[in-house]
Amino acid sequence: EANLMIGQSVRQFYNAMEIKERDIQDYYETNKEEYRQPGMINIAEIKSMDLKAVNELFEEMKKKNSFDQIYEKAQKLEGFGCRTTGLVSESDTDELIRKAKKLKAGGVSEPFMNVNKEYSIINVIERKQGVIVAYAEIKDRVRQDYMNFKRQITYNEWIANLSAQYKVQIFSDRLKSVFDIKMK
């Protein structure tokens, strides 16, 4: 009971802590190695029911050597669908990702028949191990990690001050149910 009371007091103390956005960004910059996402693919697809039109785009793309220009053009053409997946896991079972996994980094596929009878050109934009994720993409996760980090420091300081005045016994297994922090 005493430990739970300590926990509740510390939780109220945490709620009073002011955490600024700049602190969180600094924390991310300092610890960004922890925010790597290995095994991720970023791909774009141009698709159409018309194989002739897809082949024409593909030939034009080979001449200009620019998938991005052709992708922009296809977005404006009727009968074409374009999508960019964003970072997705290699283990995703989506047909598009299975096809893209056969390509090398920066590679562009030949038009091929998809399951849904559409023809596609796929461009693997990135396929890197350990790409650092941009702060904006994982801001909430960084905020939570930073808050946990600050809570741990605050808690350690609070216990040190408490221990200087009182005999304090901590049951870490009980404390874990009160706080989502790592015990040191």
Side-chain angles (χ1 to χ4, degrees):
E1 288 178 13
N3 283 305
L4 288 177
M5 288 173 62
I6 290 171
Q8 289 168 353
S9 298
V10 175
R11 182 182 290 163
Q12 290 171 357
F13 187 56
Y14 292 163
N15 292 339
M17 280 192 321
E18 184 181 1
I19 298 175
K20 296 185 174 77
E21 188 65 24
R22 184 73 244 157
D23 296 334
I24 297 167
Q25 287 178 334
D26 289 345
Y27 178 81
Y28 172 74
E29 288 302 319
T30 304
N31 299 283
K32 64 184 173 184
E33 290 295 316
E34 294 177 23
Y35 298 100
R36 290 179 176 270
Q37 292 187 8
M40 304 300 275
I41 303 173
N42 193 356
I43 54 183
E45 178 190 35
I46 302 169
K47 63 183 179 179
S48 173
M49 299 286 282
D50 184 358
L51 177 61
K52 183 180 176 190
V54 170
N55 274 321
E56 286 172 6
L57 272 186
F58 184 74
E59 290 303 316
E60 189 178 339
M61 187 203 67
K62 286 200 304 190
K63 286 178 193 170
K64 290 185 177 179
N65 200 22
S66 173
F67 180 90
D68 293 335
Q69 285 180 344
I70 301 305
Y71 186 87
E72 284 180 33
K73 179 179 179 180
Q75 286 179 310
K76 297 171 187 168
L77 295 173
E78 193 173 325
F80 281 91
C82 300
R83 69 174 172 162
T84 301
T85 64
L87 286 174
V88 292
S89 172
E90 287 183 345
S91 62
D92 195 307
T93 57
D94 184 85
E95 180 66 16
L96 177 62
I97 293 150
R98 280 199 298 266
K99 299 284 186 182
K101 282 177 72 173
K102 297 176 183 175
L103 297 177
K104 293 180 180 176
V108 178
S109 72
E110 296 279 344
F112 60 85
M113 180 72 85
N114 241 341
V115 173
N116 59 3
K117 308 294 183 197
E118 289 182 315
Y119 297 89
S120 298
I121 304 168
I122 291 180
N123 178 39
V124 176
I125 299 169
E126 279 182 0
R127 186 178 183 164
K128 298 178 182 176
Q129 289 292 323
V131 175
I132 295 176
V133 182
Y135 171 72
E137 292 178 35
I138 54 169
K139 182 177 175 180
D140 292 338
R141 184 174 143 207
V142 174
R143 179 182 301 277
Q144 189 60 48
D145 289 350
Y146 178 70
M147 286 175 67
N148 286 342
F149 168 73
K150 290 294 278 185
R151 286 175 179 163
Q152 183 67 60
I153 290 172
T154 304
Y155 176 77
N156 290 347
E157 290 171 355
W158 188 76
I159 288 295
N161 291 335
L162 194 64
S163 298
Q165 298 175 29
Y166 306 100
K167 182 178 178 185
V168 178
Q169 183 180 7
I170 305 227
F171 300 99
S172 60
D173 58 327
R174 293 184 196 167
L175 193 60
K176 285 181 185 176
S177 66
V178 178
F179 299 108
D180 183 23
I181 56 177
K182 295 174 187 167
M183 294 300 298
K184 291 190 178 182

